[in-house]
Amino acid sequence: MKLFIKLIRDIKQSLGQFIALVVVIAVGTFFYAGLVTYSNKLSAYTENYFREHRLSDLNVYYSQISKEDVAGLSQVEGIHKLEGRYTFDATQVFDKDKASLKVHSIPVNNEINTLTMIEGNPPSTKDEILLDSHYAKEHQYHVGDQISIHTNGRDFTFTISGLGENVEYAKKNDTQDHKAYGIAYMAEATIPEMANGFYYNEIMMDAVEGYDMDKLGKAIEVQSKPLTYLNQVSKERTFNYSKIQETIYNNGMMSKVIPFVLFLISAIIVFLAMSRIIDSQRNQVGIMKALGVKNRTIMLHYMGYPVLAGIVGSILGYVMAAVIFIPLVTASSARSYSLPGITYSLSFFSILPPIIFSSAFGILSCYLSGRTLLKECAAQAMRPKPPKKMKKLLIERVPGIWSRIPYSYKLIIRNIGLNKQKAIASSVGVVISTVLLITAFGTQMALLKVANQIEEVYSYDLRINYTMGTSMDALKLPSGIKNSYRLSTFPVEFIKDEEHENATLVVTERDNHLIHFFDEKDNRISLEDYGVLVPKSYADKYHISEGDTIKIKFVAPEFKNKSVDMKVLNISTQFSNPSFYSTPAYLKNFGIDYSPSSLLVESNSPADLISLRSFFEQDRQVDTMADKNDLKKSAQYMLKQNSFVFIMFIICAVILSFGAIYTISSINMYERNRELATLKVLGYQKNKINRLIFLENIILTTFAVIVALPVSGYTFTLVVKALSSTHQQIPDQVNLSVILISVILAFLLTVLSNLFLRRKVAKIHMIESLKSIE
């Protein structure tokens, strides 16, 4: 009990240092508990959700396939169950805009990709339809309402029988735009009316558990040769499944890396703190040994300091995660996914790893700091520690330099030279803090650059998408158009060895100056007739260079899976909505006719733009219309989804930096109490002593910043790689302004910590400090 009281007294004597250590551990626990909860809950929920609703292992597409042919395919080895359905695209027209609907038929005995009902019932008659609940909410639809859809030049009216969600659309698209894109389901009885006959065009397959999916896919392709086979997509390659798995992986990595770095900072601070405490209490250790207290008990007493800090910090971080992180991540998850019934709550066990990890670091630090002292006998431990031997520094050996250095600077240089190990340890803490600042600011600035690049790449005012079969040559365009260019978008598959990636190929005129292209150095590049522009996101993942040949497969039904080998013209930096770009002339080399389906329009003036928009809204041949603001949505969505994490990361990095610098400076000053007291006796004014400490800390911070610059570049690259994908590129170069802001902030935090330490200099008791050795 007496040793515990002594521990509390030791903490009170260095309360600021203890609080700084607790804050560092709390921040680590905050990120660990929040990210682990998010990652684990999302992983466990989706795994159970996909299994319970039997997410399709393989989707196979045909022009049309009969019930009998579907039954014949069920005999293929590796198939547990398969179901056929009819799928088509439809649109809905509202007052000011349009929305796209993906409509599926529901098999009679549906067991694959089953629905989760939110309200009402599944459709049972041919005039009933089920909407996804998010789309219905955006357009204020309720069960029993009438809904009209347009497809294949015809209009159909249905009654909404229910609202629900489906496991295959947990993630609809990059922005989860429920207003412009929805999912609907109809009864099988509706197929003859919609398709002018009863047939399927899609098969959902539930494979035998553990069966080789590549082998199954090849068997299906062989078996489908007599049929109108188009394409197949495995579960792992679907947008829905791959995006969720990517999020789980990234959060899992961040939940390990970020807390480890933060606990490493705390370990450095603990090591310096415990070495200072144990060194300053040599005589107390000697007295305890003389009174018969065992070495193990003494060591456990000092280990109580970091263990107590670990427990308090972990509890504080856990509470902060429950109050701040979980509500924010719950809101973010609701915007990102359609996962009915998912909730996030911190597990009590998520507090244990931070306590164990931080305590283990602290215990190790105590052992390394105290083992030498505890080996000494009681009488030797009660004697003052012999002063260190000081060898001549390299700068002292250079003739004519040392004698010209002012005495104050000699003190600083000698102190750093005398305590090289602690100076390095102090610098390491500042290095890690500076790396955190640069990484946090750099990532936030990179996401802002993604959103801002839209203005540089696209200079058109409107993009008009026409209905299928519209002849662009017969179109009559209104006045007020300054420039217009045609283009067409093809869904394709990028193939590299055994890997397949869904992609988009945009074909437009060579002289289209309403779309601009840039290389990785932000230099303008042009579209030519002898190759294809490849997005840098694909080039980085698949190691593609200029001049290489890539394989592209056209997956639209009319192309019958035609594959072509295209030459890489250049690598294009496309942060948002990356696509492959080619010209009509180059496409003709492969026997593919260019049939433009969209028009890019630049107006003469803002007044003309209003009339143009009105004209195209009334044109029945126009399917959808978009402007640059629609393109910004994807980038702004990603920025919004990640901003709260990085804002918290920046705040935490600032807190950690201040905590590390303040604690290290405090320890450094405590160890020099006798030296500083001597200077006060010799007539040094408080301001002059403060300047000495300040300059020494500035030198250490400068050294740390120089070391941190290359390290932060590598760390930033790792973070960018974790956030990037083939469908979203993020700038991987740290902006100079980010580095300057982070460096300036590191020095400001050093200045701030020195201001807090000024009162400690004033409180130095000269006689007590000078006679401490006696």
Side-chain angles (χ1 to χ4, degrees):
M1 178 55 76
K2 289 182 179 179
L3 289 179
F4 180 76
I5 294 172
K6 179 182 176 298
L7 173 63
I8 300 301
R9 187 184 62 201
D10 291 341
I11 291 173
K12 285 181 67 178
Q13 287 179 347
S14 55
L15 187 60
Q17 178 182 294
F18 182 79
I19 291 172
L21 180 59
V22 166
V23 168
V24 172
I25 296 170
V27 171
T29 306
F30 172 79
F31 276 105
Y32 174 82
L35 290 171
V36 162
T37 297
Y38 183 35
S39 180
N40 289 350
K41 180 63 178 179
L42 187 61
S43 177
Y45 179 91
T46 52
E47 183 180 348
N48 181 65
Y49 185 46
F50 292 161
R51 183 177 61 253
E52 182 182 343
H53 292 273
R54 297 181 72 171
L55 178 65
S56 176
D57 292 311
L58 188 69
N59 284 47
V60 188
Y61 302 93
Y62 300 84
S63 293
Q64 57 182 37
I65 183 172
S66 65
K67 268 189 176 183
E68 292 73 21
D69 290 331
V70 172
L73 287 173
S74 64
Q75 304 303 315
V76 174
E77 183 185 358
I79 295 178
H80 177 260
K81 185 177 180 59
L82 54 80
E83 294 176 355
R85 68 181 181 182
Y86 181 73
T87 299
F88 63 93
D89 293 315
T91 58
Q92 265 199 291
V93 181
F94 300 96
D95 292 338
K96 295 183 179 180
D97 51 20
K98 293 182 180 180
S100 300
L101 275 175
K102 176 74 73 174
V103 186
H104 302 286
S105 66
I106 303 177
V108 176
N109 297 310
N110 183 211
E111 294 182 18
I112 303 174
N113 290 352
T114 58
L115 288 163
T116 300
M117 294 304 302
I118 305 298
E119 184 182 348
N121 301 295
S124 56
T125 62
K126 66 178 184 179
D127 61 343
E128 290 185 335
I129 197 168
L130 179 142
L131 291 181
D132 85 69
S133 59
H134 292 285
Y135 180 83
K137 183 179 179 181
E138 286 288 339
H139 295 285
Q140 298 180 350
Y141 282 126
H142 303 92
V143 174
D145 289 352
Q146 298 287 308
I147 179 174
S148 295
I149 66 172
H150 181 85
T151 182
N152 294 328
R154 294 187 295 168
D155 292 318
F156 298 89
T157 301
F158 294 93
T159 300
I160 300 174
S161 66
L163 308 177
E165 296 296 328
N166 197 292
V167 65
E168 62 183 323
Y169 292 107
K171 180 76 172 175
K172 285 183 183 177
N173 47 46
D174 281 317
T175 59
Q176 281 295 90
D177 187 353
H178 299 295
K179 189 172 185 178
Y181 185 75
I183 312 298
Y185 292 87
M186 63 182 189
E188 260 197 4
T190 318
I191 294 177
E193 187 175 347
M194 306 302 297
N196 296 321
F198 190 94
Y199 60 86
Y200 302 125
N201 59 7
E202 181 182 357
I203 292 177
M204 303 176 290
M205 293 188 180
D206 183 23
V208 174
E209 189 172 350
Y211 196 84
D212 187 343
M213 292 306 300
D214 290 334
K215 183 179 177 181
L216 177 59
K218 290 175 182 177
I220 289 293
E221 192 169 351
V222 171
Q223 195 76 11
S224 299
K225 280 186 177 179
L227 308 173
T228 57
Y229 172 79
L230 296 175
N231 191 26
Q232 60 177 267
V233 178
S234 66
K235 175 178 67 179
E236 288 73 20
R237 286 171 50 210
T238 59
F239 180 84
N240 168 56
Y241 187 86
S242 60
K243 278 293 183 183
I244 289 179
Q245 295 304 313
E246 184 180 304
T247 301
I248 292 170
Y249 174 78
N250 289 343
N251 286 332
M253 288 294 294
M254 290 176 69
S255 69
K256 295 178 179 67
V257 174
I258 293 176
F260 177 79
V261 171
L262 300 177
F263 291 142
L264 185 62
I265 296 175
S266 70
I268 293 169
I269 296 174
V270 167
F271 176 76
L272 294 171
M274 296 317 300
S275 61
R276 190 271 296 170
I277 290 173
I278 293 173
D279 280 349
S280 67
Q281 295 186 4
R282 282 180 60 86
N283 61 334
Q284 294 185 33
V285 173
I287 292 169
M288 283 189 283
K289 288 171 71 73
L291 292 172
V293 181
K294 295 180 180 179
N295 288 347
R296 181 176 61 186
T297 305
I298 298 172
M299 182 64 82
L300 289 174
H301 160 65
Y302 285 107
M303 285 179 177
Y305 184 96
V307 170
L308 186 60
I311 293 171
V312 174
S314 297
I315 293 173
L316 179 62
Y318 180 86
V319 172
M320 288 168 57
V323 174
I324 300 172
F325 199 101
I326 295 302
L328 286 172
V329 88
T330 300
S332 174
S333 178
R335 290 193 302 266
S336 302
Y337 306 105
S338 300
L339 299 170
I342 188 170
T343 56
Y344 296 92
S345 58
L346 287 179
S347 167
F348 174 76
F349 296 102
S350 63
I351 199 175
L352 297 179
I355 291 175
I356 294 169
F357 206 61
S358 58
S359 298
F361 267 137
I363 289 168
L364 180 62
S365 300
C366 283
Y367 174 75
L368 295 175
S369 302
R371 59 178 179 171
T372 304
L373 177 58
L374 290 177
K375 287 179 181 178
E376 298 177 4
C377 63
Q380 188 178 355
M382 283 189 284
R383 294 193 188 101
K385 190 176 181 180
K388 292 182 179 179
K389 291 183 179 179
M390 183 66 185
K391 296 181 181 179
K392 277 192 174 183
L393 301 172
L394 180 63
I395 193 172
E396 294 183 64
R397 301 174 190 272
V398 181
I401 294 181
W402 184 252
S403 59
R404 300 187 181 201
I405 297 176
Y407 180 71
S408 299
Y409 294 103
K410 286 180 181 178
L411 285 175
I412 294 171
I413 295 169
R414 277 188 170 276
N415 183 60
I416 294 174
L418 188 65
N419 300 284
K420 295 186 187 72
Q421 293 177 340
K422 289 184 179 177
I424 292 171
S426 301
S427 297
V428 168
V430 182
V431 165
I432 296 174
S433 300
T434 307
V435 168
L436 288 176
L437 286 172
I438 293 175
T439 303
F441 278 115
T443 308
Q444 185 69 6
M445 290 295 288
L447 293 175
L448 285 171
K449 188 175 181 180
V450 170
N452 294 334
Q453 197 207 33
I454 301 294
E455 298 286 346
E456 301 173 11
V457 173
Y458 303 103
S459 57
Y460 62 81
D461 294 312
L462 292 175
R463 172 172 173 156
I464 317 300
N465 299 314
Y466 288 92
T467 55
M468 188 178 298
T470 301
S471 174
M472 300 286 283
D473 294 326
L475 290 175
K476 292 183 180 180
L477 299 179
S479 60
I481 295 178
K482 182 179 181 181
N483 287 299
S484 65
Y485 296 94
R486 302 174 180 181
L487 60 81
S488 189
T489 302
F490 296 93
V492 297
E493 208 172 61
F494 172 79
I495 302 173
K496 180 70 179 287
D497 300 327
E498 296 298 320
E499 295 189 72
H500 297 249
E501 185 89 40
N502 294 328
T504 301
L505 173 66
V506 178
V507 180
T508 188
E509 291 103 320
R510 176 182 168 186
D511 61 345
N512 185 348
H513 69 264
L514 297 182
I515 302 178
H516 310 293
F517 306 102
F518 301 89
D519 62 15
E520 60 182 340
K521 295 181 180 178
D522 286 337
N523 298 318
R524 288 281 292 270
I525 55 178
S526 58
L527 194 58
E528 303 292 346
D529 293 332
Y530 52 85
V532 62
L533 289 180
V534 176
K536 190 174 184 295
S537 54
Y538 284 83
D540 289 344
K541 182 176 179 179
Y542 295 103
H543 309 292
I544 303 170
S545 303
E546 182 182 346
D548 289 353
T549 300
I550 61 172
K551 185 180 285 295
I552 295 289
K553 183 171 79 172
F554 291 81
V555 297
E558 61 268 24
F559 294 108
K560 298 180 180 179
N561 288 327
K562 182 170 184 175
S563 296
V564 297
D565 292 326
M566 292 184 166
K567 183 181 178 182
V568 178
L569 175 66
N570 216 321
I571 307 300
S572 171
T573 299
Q574 301 174 45
F575 296 144
S576 195
N577 303 311
S579 303
F580 293 80
Y581 280 86
S582 177
T583 63
Y586 186 63
L587 208 61
K588 277 189 177 180
N589 295 331
F590 306 103
I592 299 175
D593 291 328
Y594 170 62
S595 300
S597 58
S598 301
L599 188 71
L600 301 184
V601 172
E602 182 183 16
S603 66
N604 283 318
S605 66
D608 288 327
L609 178 59
I610 296 172
S611 62
L612 288 174
R613 187 185 290 273
S614 176
F615 174 85
F616 288 117
E617 284 175 351
Q618 297 173 21
D619 190 344
R620 286 183 169 273
Q621 297 181 91
V622 173
D623 184 23
T624 59
M625 185 170 58
D627 56 23
K628 283 186 289 188
N629 291 328
D630 296 311
L631 292 170
K632 289 180 181 180
K633 285 182 181 178
S634 177
Q636 290 173 345
Y637 172 83
M638 184 178 181
L639 182 64
K640 188 176 181 180
Q641 286 298 97
N642 292 283
S643 61
F644 85 90
V645 174
F646 287 103
I647 289 171
M648 286 193 295
F649 197 27
I650 290 170
I651 294 171
C652 291
V654 171
I655 293 171
L656 287 173
S657 298
F658 177 75
I661 294 170
Y662 174 81
T663 306
I664 290 165
S665 301
S666 177
I667 292 168
N668 186 32
M669 196 187 78
Y670 188 91
E671 291 178 337
R672 298 174 62 192
N673 256 5
R674 193 165 186 273
E675 177 190 334
L676 298 176
T678 303
L679 292 175
K680 289 183 76 172
V681 169
L682 292 174
Y684 268 66
Q685 297 176 344
K686 286 186 291 184
N687 288 339
K688 202 169 183 180
I689 295 173
N690 285 324
R691 189 164 64 246
L692 280 177
I693 298 170
F694 173 75
L695 287 174
E696 185 172 328
N697 288 334
I698 288 293
I699 290 170
L700 292 176
T701 302
T702 304
F703 172 76
V705 165
I706 293 170
V707 174
L709 292 179
V711 178
S712 60
Y714 176 72
T715 307
F716 176 73
T717 303
L718 292 179
V719 173
V720 166
K721 281 184 178 179
L723 290 174
S724 300
S725 68
T726 52
H727 301 288
Q728 180 71 63
Q729 180 191 341
I730 295 177
D732 58 358
Q733 294 180 345
V734 183
N735 195 298
L736 181 61
S737 60
V738 168
I739 295 174
L740 289 175
I741 291 170
S742 303
V743 169
I744 291 170
L745 190 55
F747 281 103
L748 285 176
L749 291 171
T750 302
V751 173
L752 185 62
S753 66
N754 276 277
L755 291 175
F756 275 95
L757 290 170
R758 288 172 69 91
R759 61 187 183 86
K760 288 199 172 188
V761 174
K763 288 184 178 181
I764 292 176
H765 197 286
M766 289 180 284
I767 296 176
E768 183 181 314
S769 299
L770 291 172
K771 293 180 68 65
S772 60
I773 292 180
E774 301 173 16

